[in-house]
Amino acid sequence: MKILVKTSMKLLLRTKAFWFFLILMPILSTFILKIKFDSSSAYINDFDEKVIELSDADQKVAYYGGKGEFVVKVYDASKDELSEAFLKKLSEAGMFLVIRTDITNEAEPDEFVEMHLEKDGYQDRMGGVIYICPDFAENVLNGKAAEALKLYALSDDSRIDALQKEMEFQLSRMDSLSGYISMTKGGAEVSTDDLVNALDESDTFMPEKELVSIAGGTGRSLSVTQTNQKSQVGYAFAFMTLGFVFCGIFVAHTSIKEQKNGVYTRIGLTRTSSLKYFASKFVVSFIVSVMITAVVSVCSLALSSEDMGMSRAQYLMIIFMMGTIFCSLSTLIGILIGDVMSANVAAFTLWCMSALLSGLYFPLNYTTAWLKALSFMMPQKWFLEGTEMIFVGDNKAFPMLICITVAYLVAALSLGGLGLRIRRTESWGNS
């Protein structure tokens, strides 16, 4: 066993591409963790009941309604305090996701809205569109609320009726308060500021709303900061997985060459079992994982605990366990395939599909049940779950990850030994 490991390591260290992945991937993952960006909207809708502003009218709103909210796009040609108050009241109803685009600079807002309605209906996804006319405040203050805005239904969702009722309710409130203010002032003209202040004062008599954050099926609820950290760790895992997979495939290259050159046959004549031979490659993969983790530990000196969301020791432990799995899996795939080029393609496919299906790039919370089940077959999914558990202080994270690591390694070792035995039997049969 010792001689097999020593020989494999010598061949591996002579491979220049191995050093490329050994050094570059940890540097890239560290760089990703160092960058600060906000990706929380991809995981949670943390809009705090506020009106979402679009940069332009052509920006799609479908991405904001990822949890099945009733999305309402608003073309606001008024953009004053009263329209702001009206949209705020709609968003506070709790049933609608209000997304506004400012069209006050459009010379012909009516034509502009009509032109965009078809695009919204066919190229975007939303429940309805509200067009707030330029003279919205004037119409509301003069008791012509029906002429102040227009509602367009762009779906067959029955919640459009609830939206219409809520709009009628808010407009009737404004009309009633406007009449009351005018009466108290002896018939004087009511200003927009007076009406907005009256709306705010009337809300103080409403029952206070209490928002309770309920965790999802996992029982864990992350803050916005933790959600961003989870996203960054996922991207870092993607780079590290690429490094582990190809470093493992270089280990497989040594085995492929040994099979091609008859070295494996001569090893078999020494009564060395297939399982023992593959175990030696597994030990080499383990050493490679240690080497990559050592490089990561050096790179992690540029990171703080806030960048990683956990302690340095926890992060390195996760990287090491994940690396051991992927180095072993890619080594297994390469040995069983028995061809260098095919092994490289298989390794790249393994990295692409596992990272995609595990949710490293984007969450899979709202996908189909079979896709979620497939996701839990990917090792990165479990390490991402473990990261989330560490964020919330769950002490069961590492026992769970250790069990997952052992399970994958046992499966890889068993399948590798069986595969080599089958390949050797086939090669003897052909000869």
Side-chain angles (χ1 to χ4, degrees):
M1 172 76 77
K2 185 177 180 180
I3 296 176
L4 292 174
V5 173
K6 185 177 180 180
T7 303
S8 297
M9 285 300 302
K10 286 182 178 179
L11 294 174
L12 184 64
L13 295 178
R14 293 172 185 172
T15 307
K16 295 180 180 179
F18 169 76
W19 290 100
F20 174 81
F21 285 98
L22 177 68
I23 297 174
L24 182 62
M25 292 303 109
I27 293 176
L28 289 178
S29 65
T30 303
F31 178 73
I32 284 292
L33 289 175
K34 202 65 179 175
I35 298 175
K36 299 301 179 184
F37 57 90
D38 185 5
S39 61
S40 59
S41 60
Y43 291 84
I44 57 174
N45 287 335
D46 186 39
F47 301 126
D48 197 24
E49 296 184 343
K50 295 178 180 178
V51 178
I52 304 169
E53 301 289 347
L54 296 180
S55 58
D56 60 78
D58 294 325
Q59 186 177 349
K60 294 187 181 298
V61 303
Y63 304 112
Y64 293 93
K67 294 184 179 180
E69 299 89 346
F70 188 80
V71 178
V72 182
K73 186 175 183 179
V74 180
Y75 290 94
D76 193 349
S78 178
K79 196 68 184 297
D80 55 15
E81 293 183 2
L82 194 57
S83 67
E84 182 77 28
F86 172 74
L87 296 179
K88 181 181 177 182
K89 301 305 177 187
L90 283 183
S91 66
E92 289 176 352
M95 294 181 62
F96 318 111
L97 191 61
V98 181
I99 306 175
R100 174 173 59 185
T101 179
D102 183 5
I103 60 171
T104 54
N105 294 327
E106 298 297 330
E108 298 292 339
D110 294 352
E111 296 179 3
F112 181 84
V113 173
E114 292 292 339
M115 181 180 64
H116 278 74
L117 280 175
E118 184 175 356
K119 183 184 296 184
D120 292 337
Y122 289 101
Q123 300 181 17
D124 208 344
R125 180 176 297 177
M126 63 196 73
V129 167
I130 298 176
Y131 168 44
I132 298 180
C133 302
D135 51 357
F136 174 78
E138 181 181 352
N139 286 328
V140 171
L141 295 175
N142 292 330
K144 300 178 181 179
E147 303 176 8
L149 48 77
K150 297 178 183 179
L151 173 63
Y152 301 89
L154 295 186
S155 71
D156 56 357
D157 195 320
S158 59
R159 288 178 290 180
I160 192 69
D161 296 329
L163 174 62
Q164 183 177 358
K165 295 295 184 184
E166 183 66 25
M167 290 170 56
E168 293 174 353
F169 171 69
Q170 296 299 338
L171 290 174
S172 66
R173 283 184 64 199
M174 292 180 180
D175 186 54
S176 299
L177 288 173
S178 178
Y180 174 76
I181 296 171
S182 178
M183 182 181 65
T184 56
K185 287 188 174 184
E189 184 178 352
V190 181
S191 67
T192 300
D193 292 338
D194 292 335
L195 183 53
V196 172
N197 292 333
L199 284 170
D200 293 335
E201 290 178 6
S202 64
D203 286 341
T204 60
F205 297 100
M206 300 291 289
E208 185 177 353
K209 181 187 294 185
E210 181 181 358
L211 297 178
V212 180
S213 178
I214 300 176
T218 60
R220 296 184 292 273
S221 180
L222 301 182
S223 65
V224 174
T225 301
Q226 290 174 330
T227 301
N228 290 329
Q229 289 174 333
K230 177 184 175 182
S231 179
Q232 290 180 273
V233 168
Y235 293 135
F237 282 175
F239 281 111
M240 291 307 305
T241 302
L242 179 63
F244 286 126
V245 165
F246 275 94
C247 285
I249 212 67
F250 293 137
V251 177
H253 286 179
T254 62
S255 178
I256 293 172
K257 291 178 181 178
E258 289 171 350
Q259 293 179 54
K260 296 288 186 182
N261 298 331
V263 176
Y264 176 64
T265 302
R266 292 194 293 272
I267 292 175
L269 295 176
T270 63
R271 295 185 180 182
T272 300
S273 65
S274 300
L275 186 61
K276 186 176 181 181
Y277 174 79
F278 182 74
S280 68
K281 301 301 179 183
F282 168 79
V283 172
V284 174
S285 299
F286 179 85
I287 296 173
V288 169
S289 300
V290 173
M291 294 173 64
I292 298 178
T293 305
V295 177
V296 173
S297 66
V298 175
C299 294
S300 67
L301 296 177
L303 300 172
S304 63
S305 58
E306 288 76 15
D307 296 326
M308 298 178 289
M310 62 188 80
S311 68
R312 184 170 286 102
Q314 290 174 324
Y315 178 69
L316 293 177
M317 188 64 180
I318 289 177
I319 292 296
F320 171 71
M321 289 189 290
M322 186 172 64
T324 304
I325 291 176
F326 276 100
C327 279
S328 302
L329 288 177
S330 59
T331 301
L332 164 67
I333 292 173
I335 291 175
L336 295 183
I337 290 177
D339 179 74
V340 172
M341 183 58 68
S342 299
N344 291 339
V345 174
F348 186 77
T349 304
L350 171 65
W351 170 68
C352 288
M353 297 306 297
S354 62
L356 183 66
L357 294 175
S358 60
L360 296 186
Y361 302 131
F362 48 82
L364 302 175
N365 299 335
Y366 305 102
T367 55
T368 58
W370 69 268
L371 193 57
K372 290 180 181 178
L374 187 61
S375 174
F376 277 101
M377 297 178 63
M378 307 299 149
Q380 301 102 312
K381 175 67 175 179
W382 293 101
F383 285 94
L384 207 58
E385 286 286 318
T387 300
E388 187 175 312
M389 293 170 68
I390 293 174
F391 285 169
V392 298
D394 192 339
N395 295 326
K396 298 179 182 178
F398 278 102
M400 182 268 289
L401 292 178
I402 291 173
C403 291
I404 291 296
T405 303
V406 172
Y408 275 105
L409 293 181
V410 170
L413 184 61
S414 302
L415 291 174
L418 178 61
L420 283 175
R421 185 173 301 175
I422 294 174
R423 286 184 60 84
R424 184 168 62 179
T425 302
E426 291 178 349
S427 62
W428 287 352
N430 294 331
S431 60

